[in-house]
Amino acid sequence: MAPEAKLSHTAAMILQAVNAGYVYGFSVMEMTGLPSGTVYPAMRRLERDELIRSQWEQQSIADAEQRPPRKYYKLTRAGKLTLEASRKRYPLLGKLIPSEEVEAL
Amino acid sequence: MTLRPAAAFHGVDLAILRCASLLVPWCQRGEWWREWRSELWHVRQACTPSHGVLWSAENEVTLFCLGAFKDAMCLRGQLGRKPIPHATTMGSAAQCVFLLVGLIAMSYGVALLLPGVSSVRHFQHYRDARNLVLIQDARYPGDSTATISVEQYQSWKHRRQDLFDDFAFYRMTRESIYDSGHTAAPGTIAVASTNLFAMLGLPIRFAASGGESQRGMPRLILSDAMWKREFGHDPHITGRVVQLGTNAVVVDGVAPEGSWRLPGKVDGWLLASDTKSIADGQGFVVAHLKSSEERTWGENWLMAAPNQDGVMADFSCVSLAESTRGPLDLFLFAVFLACLALPATTSLPLGEYRVSSQKLSWSKRLRRWGFLGCKIALLLPIIYFVSLDLAYLHTTVNRTSSENLQIVSAFSICLFGLRWVLRDQRQRCPVCLRRLTHPARVGEPSRNFLAWNGTELICVAGHGLLHIPEMETSWFNTQRWLYLDPSWNVLFADPGLASASYF
């Protein structure tokens, strides 16, 4: 999808959350306050449009921590460009989900 | 063994997720089930205490699980749905083809339900019908009246003939058929000479191999309708002895549906080997012309011949080739007439876009002509079946009226159908074959000398505009196509834009 493609505010929030380091579905839900029925399909659509990409965690890592492997999401180059365009459209996006918050953790 | 409450809640949550996963399209189900289970573990870790049960936490986890149903419904909604705006599918070539195929299916379905259509579709031409004639007294118009006496038939049959080499006779009578104690079934019986079926070349179903003829009884051929109605489709009907009036006769087979096209609606044919069995009365005579390359006979001609009293009389001879035309012949004749009449009712050119700055590729031109051919090819079966449906809707209508009705309806539908095909083709975009939309009036009649006046149509995919003049002038006498270059695309529906907004 072209970088200048229009994103809804919800999609832009999810993109901002993933960019901020909330890289799996539940953490995006927690950060954005969006329900599960909204977040997961939206992330699939963002993935379909190649704005984010997903990757399953290695089984060995999950086994070592005695939990199921989880799916991580990451912004693509097109996703970063789209997010930049969306930030201009939604100036408060950065304040709602600051990137530094996760980076400081 | 005791069941821990947390484990029970976890089991319920998994069951909810499993139910939700069943709603997910099959190809994505495994992936979603895996992700939901993984996320559930983390949700449970984040929300619930490590020991005991906290209702508010379990409620939060359950809400997460119930959200999976929303995910699943969303995925189902997206399944197989392309984000194409309605405007771009409306009036497409595929939609037109589907519509025509639907009409074929509908008209064919109706044809299957109508017994009259079924009968006429199974009609088989008579053997050597070109040399078969029905002889009638010329004083009586039409062929519905029996005009030839048995004596007349006898005199022709036993006299040396120059024109004919064989004669067959039949006479209509009402008789009741009794079948081994069953109630009588009244029907119209054609008492006929034994050579009638052989002369016409009519096939006989379940025909006997000759054993029954040794009984010395007259043979009865049942009509398909009588066999089904009174004998319950019995495949072993041949050889059964039934009572026809006061005489015992042996059933010798069944005439196929729609095979009888001579005057009279017949339920059975009694093949009498001697003229005494035929008895007195007026009937019909079918004669077979001697094959001759020098002589050609028309469809209907007069013949002078001595009658049984030795007095010369006029007889009309009607060719069976003319009177036993099948429905396909009538249909082709009607289509031929409609094709002749078409240029008088509409202009034939498809609006070849002479003032075009852009040449269409060969593949696009071929596709356009292929679409036109496809429409005409799909139109023909519609005309055929609808005309048959209309002609044979009522079984009470006689054969001649039904044939006339078939010709008239096939001609009318074909004429208007072809007009529609041409008009539809002219109003389609030559690039994408969609129907042009949004007609707009342009100009005024008074400005015809300086500009043009007519209707402008537009292709919703943005390929161009079609200008149709209201008044034909020497400088604007046919419709013109104005191609639009890609810079106009921003004005038109773009399927890609539909996927750009998310919620």
Side-chain angles (χ1 to χ4, degrees):
Chain A
M1 192 167 66
E4 64 272 15
K6 294 170 189 170
L7 285 184
S8 70
H9 187 254
T10 313
M13 272 174 68
I14 293 171
L15 217 55
Q16 170 72 4
V18 173
N19 185 54
Y22 300 96
V23 289
Y24 48 90
F26 179 56
S27 62
V28 172
M29 278 171 55
E30 278 192 320
M31 186 62 221
T32 58
L34 294 167
S36 67
T38 300
V39 168
Y40 292 101
M43 289 173 84
R44 280 290 192 279
R45 284 193 287 262
L46 289 168
E47 192 178 4
R48 183 195 62 195
D49 292 334
E50 297 175 353
L51 298 179
I52 60 174
R53 64 167 165 265
S54 65
Q55 190 177 15
W56 279 99
E57 186 183 24
Q58 283 183 12
Q59 187 68 44
S60 57
I61 298 172
D63 288 346
E65 296 182 16
Q66 295 186 325
R67 60 176 174 78
R70 65 190 319 173
K71 203 175 189 180
Y72 291 111
Y73 293 89
K74 191 179 174 186
L75 251 64
T76 62
R77 185 177 171 75
K80 283 178 181 166
L81 289 171
T82 306
L83 183 60
E84 283 302 314
S86 299
R87 278 182 184 146
K88 288 173 190 162
R89 191 173 173 205
Y90 307 112
L92 294 177
L93 205 60
K95 290 182 183 173
L96 278 171
I97 310 169
S99 302
E100 295 77 16
E101 191 178 316
V102 171
E103 286 162 10
L105 288 176
Chain B
M1 195 175 81
T2 57
L3 184 66
R4 286 187 299 127
F9 278 116
H10 186 62
V12 170
D13 292 337
L14 280 175
I16 292 171
L17 289 180
R18 175 50 88 180
C19 290
S21 74
L22 295 176
L23 295 174
V24 176
W26 181 82
C27 54
Q28 302 171 21
R29 190 175 296 161
E31 179 79 2
W32 276 91
W33 167 239
R34 192 179 172 203
E35 184 169 358
W36 280 333
R37 266 192 315 170
S38 164
E39 291 296 300
L40 176 64
W41 188 90
H42 291 279
V43 171
R44 187 162 280 286
Q45 287 293 311
C47 299
T48 57
S50 52
H51 298 289
V53 173
L54 191 63
W55 287 107
S56 59
E58 291 298 341
N59 189 39
E60 199 172 335
V61 176
T62 307
L63 282 175
F64 167 80
C65 295
L66 290 174
F69 280 100
K70 202 174 169 187
D71 295 348
M73 295 312 291
C74 184
L75 290 166
R76 278 200 84 78
Q78 287 174 353
L79 180 68
R81 194 180 65 195
K82 302 277 185 195
I84 298 173
H86 177 62
T88 57
T89 54
M90 189 176 61
S92 66
Q95 194 185 41
C96 176
V97 170
F98 285 137
L99 179 73
L100 291 173
V101 171
L103 283 174
I104 292 175
M106 205 188 307
S107 54
Y108 181 65
V110 174
L112 288 180
L113 294 175
L114 294 173
V117 177
S118 170
S119 161
V120 80
R121 278 179 54 231
H122 289 98
F123 168 71
Q124 293 172 329
H125 287 277
Y126 293 145
R127 184 197 302 155
D128 197 17
R130 206 162 49 87
N131 285 324
L132 288 176
V133 290
L134 182 73
I135 302 177
Q136 289 208 285
D137 193 326
R139 291 173 296 174
Y140 297 89
D143 62 1
S144 55
T145 313
T147 57
I148 310 294
S149 64
V150 180
E151 292 78 22
Q152 179 73 70
Y153 159 68
Q154 293 284 4
S155 69
W156 283 339
K157 192 166 175 66
H158 294 113
R159 190 176 294 172
R160 187 174 162 277
Q161 295 287 338
D162 290 331
L163 280 179
F164 306 103
D165 55 16
D166 201 5
F167 293 90
F169 178 86
Y170 70 93
R171 184 177 64 80
M172 312 296 281
T173 178
R174 286 292 285 182
E175 293 283 3
S176 292
I177 300 175
Y178 303 87
D179 175 29
S180 58
H182 287 84
T183 53
T188 305
I189 303 296
V191 185
S193 55
T194 49
N195 64 340
L196 179 66
F197 273 63
M199 186 189 283
L200 297 175
L202 287 179
I204 301 174
R205 295 171 69 194
F206 317 119
S209 56
E212 279 72 26
S213 61
Q214 293 172 3
R215 298 186 188 187
M217 292 183 197
R219 293 153 55 207
L220 179 69
I221 311 287
L222 295 171
S223 72
D224 186 74
M226 176 66 114
W227 172 63
K228 286 175 180 168
R229 192 176 65 237
E230 303 297 337
F231 296 93
H233 300 76
D234 182 5
H236 306 294
I237 186 73
T238 304
R240 189 186 296 184
V241 176
V242 295
Q243 198 75 17
L244 183 68
T246 55
N247 302 316
V249 296
V250 62
V251 177
D252 199 34
V254 177
E257 184 182 12
S259 57
W260 180 254
R261 305 274 291 195
L262 291 178
K265 191 173 183 299
V266 182
D267 294 314
W269 294 263
L270 180 66
L271 303 182
S273 55
D274 56 344
T275 51
K276 287 176 187 169
S277 304
I278 294 175
D280 293 335
Q282 304 287 315
F284 299 89
V285 168
V286 180
H288 185 264
L289 285 161
K290 282 182 180 172
S291 298
S292 168
E293 291 182 359
E294 291 139 19
R295 290 174 181 170
T296 51
W297 302 97
E299 293 181 343
N300 194 342
W301 44 278
L302 281 177
M303 169 186 80
N307 59 19
Q308 66 268 29
D309 302 324
V311 180
M312 293 298 281
D314 285 340
F315 294 91
S316 68
C317 300
V318 181
S319 170
L320 291 192
E322 189 267 343
S323 63
T324 57
R325 273 198 290 249
L328 193 63
D329 300 330
L330 299 176
F331 163 73
L332 292 175
F333 177 63
V335 170
F336 173 70
L337 286 183
C339 290
L340 288 180
L342 185 66
T345 61
T346 186
S347 60
L348 294 181
L350 295 175
E352 296 305 333
Y353 313 106
R354 287 180 290 177
V355 188
S356 67
S357 58
Q358 187 179 334
K359 282 278 182 190
L360 282 178
S361 66
W362 273 106
S363 61
K364 283 198 172 69
R365 281 191 214 177
L366 203 65
R367 195 164 151 256
R368 190 163 159 251
W369 283 103
F371 177 59
L372 177 67
C374 179
K375 276 193 293 188
I376 293 172
L378 291 173
L379 186 68
L380 292 177
I382 295 174
I383 298 165
Y384 180 65
F385 288 119
V386 171
S387 62
L388 277 182
D389 293 345
L390 291 174
Y392 296 94
L393 197 61
H394 292 289
T395 49
T396 51
V397 179
N398 66 40
R399 185 173 56 81
T400 310
S401 303
S402 293
E403 286 179 352
N404 291 338
L405 195 56
Q406 192 201 344
I407 290 179
V408 170
S409 54
F411 172 78
S412 309
I413 299 167
C414 186
L415 187 62
F416 284 100
L418 290 174
R419 275 173 59 97
W420 169 81
V421 165
L422 293 173
R423 188 184 165 85
D424 179 75
Q425 191 74 6
R426 280 195 285 265
Q427 296 200 347
R428 282 185 182 271
C429 170
V431 180
C432 64
L433 295 179
R434 286 192 191 94
R435 264 188 81 84
L436 302 170
T437 55
H438 305 93
R441 293 273 313 148
V442 176
E444 293 174 11
S446 60
R447 295 183 184 171
N448 240 355
F449 287 108
L450 297 172
W452 72 282
N453 162 48
T455 308
E456 182 182 78
L457 293 151
I458 197 164
C459 169
V460 288
H463 294 121
L465 306 166
L466 182 70
H467 294 152
I468 305 169
E470 187 172 318
M471 283 190 283
E472 290 186 4
T473 56
S474 58
W475 60 93
F476 207 138
N477 60 353
T478 183
Q479 64 181 39
R480 290 178 186 172
W481 183 256
L482 177 67
Y483 287 93
L484 298 178
D485 62 39
S487 65
W488 291 82
N489 285 356
V490 69
L491 291 177
F492 296 93
D494 180 1
L497 286 178
S499 61
S501 92
Y502 280 86
F503 307 110

XYZ file of all heavy atoms in Angstrom, chain A residues 2 12 15 35-36 40-41 51 53 57 75 80 85 96:
108
model
N 0.455 2.276 -0.638
C 1.262 3.498 -0.740
C 1.418 4.154 0.629
O 0.517 4.086 1.464
C 0.578 4.453 -1.707
N -4.036 3.673 13.009
C -2.822 4.454 13.290
C -2.346 4.192 14.720
O -1.128 4.112 14.987
C -3.108 5.930 13.073
N -0.598 0.884 14.821
C 0.707 1.006 14.166
C 1.694 1.706 15.096
O 2.864 1.306 15.238
C 0.529 1.806 12.866
C 1.359 1.401 11.671
C 1.161 -0.069 11.331
C 0.978 2.250 10.464
N -10.595 -3.472 22.273
C -10.944 -4.871 22.591
C -10.290 -5.861 21.610
O -9.853 -5.477 20.521
C -12.468 -4.898 22.438
C -12.779 -3.800 21.502
C -11.734 -2.745 21.712
N -10.265 -7.116 22.048
C -9.597 -8.135 21.227
C -10.264 -8.296 19.866
O -9.608 -8.562 18.871
C -9.602 -9.469 21.959
O -10.914 -9.958 22.063
N -7.052 -7.758 16.788
C -6.465 -8.843 15.975
C -6.827 -8.759 14.489
O -5.953 -8.873 13.636
C -6.849 -10.204 16.572
C -6.184 -10.442 17.907
C -6.869 -10.255 19.088
C -4.845 -10.803 17.967
C -6.256 -10.446 20.317
C -4.219 -10.996 19.189
C -4.929 -10.820 20.366
O -4.308 -10.997 21.573
N -8.100 -8.553 14.154
C -8.387 -8.400 12.708
C -7.667 -7.204 12.101
O -7.196 -7.262 10.964
C -9.906 -8.204 12.660
C -10.414 -8.797 13.903
C -9.360 -8.551 14.924
N 2.121 -3.379 6.041
C 2.550 -2.289 6.911
C 3.235 -2.854 8.159
O 4.065 -2.183 8.768
C 1.357 -1.419 7.314
C 0.643 -0.716 6.144
C -0.529 0.109 6.647
C 1.587 0.167 5.363
N 4.749 -6.855 9.790
C 4.920 -8.279 9.487
C 5.011 -9.031 10.809
O 5.450 -8.477 11.826
C 6.133 -8.516 8.591
C 7.474 -8.171 9.185
C 8.620 -8.738 8.335
N 9.877 -8.111 8.705
C 10.399 -7.057 8.080
N 9.775 -6.512 7.048
N 11.532 -6.541 8.484
N 7.551 -16.755 17.555
C 8.748 -16.911 18.405
C 9.274 -18.350 18.285
O 8.491 -19.278 18.042
C 8.313 -16.640 19.848
C 9.410 -16.604 20.847
C 8.859 -16.396 22.255
O 7.669 -16.744 22.483
O 9.583 -15.900 23.109
N 7.027 -3.356 12.485
C 6.695 -2.454 11.372
C 7.610 -2.708 10.177
O 8.811 -2.934 10.336
C 6.865 -0.992 11.812
C 5.559 -0.187 11.994
C 4.738 -0.776 13.110
C 5.870 1.275 12.246
N 6.423 2.184 8.454
C 7.030 3.357 9.106
C 6.698 4.636 8.349
O 6.389 5.663 8.963
C 8.545 3.161 9.177
C 8.953 2.191 10.281
C 10.434 1.966 10.323
C 10.748 0.962 11.443
N 12.096 0.440 11.360
N 3.232 9.556 8.037
C 2.149 10.354 7.425
C 0.963 10.459 8.376
O 0.324 11.516 8.472
C 1.713 9.697 6.118
N -0.168 9.989 22.939
C -0.989 8.901 23.482
C -0.140 7.647 23.735
O -0.275 6.987 24.769
C -2.100 8.540 22.489
C -3.352 9.406 22.490
C -4.247 9.044 21.310
C -4.134 9.226 23.789
